[in-house]
Amino acid sequence: MSQATFTPRVFSGIKPSGGLQLGNYLGAIKRWVDMQAGDYENIYCVVDMHAITVWQDPKDLANGTREVAAGMIAAGIDPAKSVLFNQSQVAAHAELGWIFNCVARLGWMNRMTQFKDKAGKNAEKASLGLYAYPSLMAADILLYHATHVPVGEDQKQHVELTRDIANKFNHDYGVDFFPITEPVIDGPATRVMNLRDGTKKMSKSGDSDMERINMTDDADTIAKKFKKARTDPAPLPETVEGLADRPEARNLVDIYAALSDTTPAEVIAQYPGAGWGTFKPALADLAVEKLAPISGEMARLMADPAEIDRTLAQGAEKARTIAEPILAQTYEIVGLLRS
Ligand code: AQP
């Protein structure tokens, strides 16, 4: 089998399952903006078909999709440089997803920890879509022959499954057609934790609004949430090693480092031994300084939904020109008749 070479291409996405939270920004969007400046083709997607794996009110979904797109643009994703669209406008995602449902093995799917976390004790009542979600995610990525996927730590297992699916497809059909995609998980904020419980990740759909920073929160709300963030009583340590076994303190330092484009060690060097009464207000000021321009721009973009829709339609058109030939070749490899 000859070794195919693939154009360096980045794909990543966000579900419109609620308003964007700080983890989505630091773990994903902010890093996409950096990758957009590199030597890659960039494809970023609002993955609305993933959102409906749990109930979404139809009255809110379209606007939630626009809001996530507005957040991406406001944070620096430029639709002229990157392909930006929503998943359901490119039918090839669902079509390749079905083929991958027939490649992925039940044993692999049964190991997916995100399904276990999200379905919880009520797995019998979870949708089949929630279970098959990682196989559709593999289709999202491989439909573009993406070589790199920048994601937060929580998505690592799904990117590994994508590699397993690509390998099995290539092996079963005796081709070297799908790339073995690399996850890109780097920086100090690959797993931003819940502000009320440092052992859980920050999520859009977590129970309490106090456990997350929303991208649309105003300055007072951000200050209040950081002030009330749970920590142990000890002050910050003198060196970064002192953060070991202090998940809440570590989280706040990591957030500061990611927002200021520094490292946790540099943050500790700036605030050695500082008490929370000093550090939390400094963190809140920094967050407001970085997030307020983004939320202001989001609000401006959201005032013209028709323009967002146009941008997403143009992005979908560009996405289809890459996706459709890859899907057509996949059908041919699989032997599906197109008459
Ligand atoms: N807490 C986080 N820290 C770092 N990165 C994170 N991401 C999400 N939460 C964190 C990254 O954001 C991207 C988009 O995620 P998603 O919307 O597809 O789904 P998710 O990971 O399930 O995000 P949420 O906010 O937790 O959504 P809900 O509550 O609806 O399930 C991914 O790259 C993810 O790693």
Side-chain angles (χ1 to χ4, degrees):
M1 201 161 54
S2 70
Q3 215 37 54
T5 51
F6 295 95
T7 310
R9 193 178 277 154
V10 173
F11 178 94
S12 203
I14 295 198
K15 297 193 301 269
S17 47
L20 291 172
Q21 43 90 6
L22 186 63
N24 299 135
Y25 174 60
L26 295 178
I29 302 175
K30 185 170 186 294
R31 296 169 48 234
W32 303 350
V33 174
D34 295 338
M35 294 197 89
Q36 186 179 247
D39 294 330
Y40 298 99
E41 278 180 31
N42 291 271
I43 304 174
Y44 297 116
C45 187
V46 187
V47 286
D48 45 3
M49 288 161 67
H50 286 283
I52 61 166
T53 55
V54 298
W55 172 250
Q56 302 296 331
D57 191 327
K59 290 198 301 297
D60 302 328
L61 183 58
N63 226 33
T65 301
R66 291 186 190 105
E67 192 176 280
V68 170
M72 287 158 123
I73 298 168
I77 298 298
D78 177 352
K81 289 192 192 147
S82 294
V83 179
L84 174 64
F85 68 107
N86 60 307
Q87 184 188 25
S88 62
Q89 297 214 61
V90 180
H93 287 251
E95 294 180 76
L96 187 61
W98 179 256
I99 291 179
F100 286 171
N101 283 347
C102 303
V103 175
R105 303 289 94 181
L106 280 180
W108 302 354
M109 306 306 282
N110 287 339
R111 285 195 283 277
M112 295 295 114
T113 55
Q114 193 180 79
F115 176 77
K116 289 181 199 158
D117 291 347
K118 294 209 168 185
K121 293 195 186 80
N122 249 340
E124 293 283 316
K125 296 220 164 96
S127 72
L128 182 55
L130 188 65
Y131 187 70
Y133 176 127
S135 159
L136 179 59
M137 178 167 154
D140 300 335
I141 295 166
L142 295 174
L143 187 56
Y144 301 94
H145 279 181
T147 53
H148 296 82
V149 183
V151 280
E153 181 69 37
D154 60 317
Q155 292 295 334
K156 184 168 180 229
Q157 196 184 32
H158 292 166
V159 183
E160 282 162 2
L161 183 98
T162 300
R163 293 162 63 90
D164 290 341
I165 289 176
N167 267 319
K168 182 164 169 53
F169 183 97
N170 289 346
H171 177 266
D172 288 355
Y173 292 101
V175 291
D176 190 13
F177 184 63
F178 287 117
I180 309 305
T181 308
E182 288 295 331
V184 184
I185 302 172
D186 55 22
T190 55
R191 192 170 174 83
V192 176
M193 306 310 278
N194 178 319
L195 296 180
R196 310 295 289 175
D197 178 349
T199 64
K200 290 193 191 144
K201 83 166 188 122
M202 189 180 283
S203 272
K204 298 182 206 86
S205 52
D207 293 335
S208 155
D209 199 55
M210 289 302 285
E211 64 187 44
R212 63 181 165 263
I213 304 288
N214 302 303
M215 293 301 288
T216 48
D217 282 344
D218 62 25
D220 288 348
T221 309
I222 291 176
K224 187 171 87 190
K225 287 181 177 177
F226 278 127
K227 186 167 177 213
K228 296 213 175 258
R230 195 175 139 189
T231 54
D232 56 44
L236 285 179
E238 300 287 331
T239 65
V240 73
E241 289 74 26
L243 289 171
D245 304 322
R246 296 182 62 189
E248 288 90 4
R250 171 96 223 182
N251 188 39
L252 296 185
V253 170
D254 284 350
I255 293 174
Y256 194 105
L259 284 169
S260 59
D261 287 312
T262 57
T263 62
E266 287 171 285
V267 176
I268 293 296
Q270 198 181 340
Y271 293 98
W276 295 114
T278 304
F279 187 71
K280 283 179 168 179
L283 175 58
D285 287 349
L286 175 66
V288 170
E289 180 196 322
K290 300 289 176 179
L291 302 184
I294 301 176
S295 61
E297 181 61 6
M298 270 173 86
R300 192 189 69 73
L301 293 165
M302 284 300 285
D304 188 357
E307 179 57 24
I308 299 178
D309 292 2
R310 264 193 298 279
T311 302
L312 292 174
Q314 284 163 3
E317 190 62 48
K318 286 192 230 163
R320 280 192 288 266
T321 62
I322 305 173
E324 284 173 357
I326 292 178
L327 182 71
Q329 287 175 72
T330 310
Y331 274 29
E332 198 178 311
I333 292 167
V334 173
L336 295 169
L337 177 67
R338 294 207 142 173
S339 57

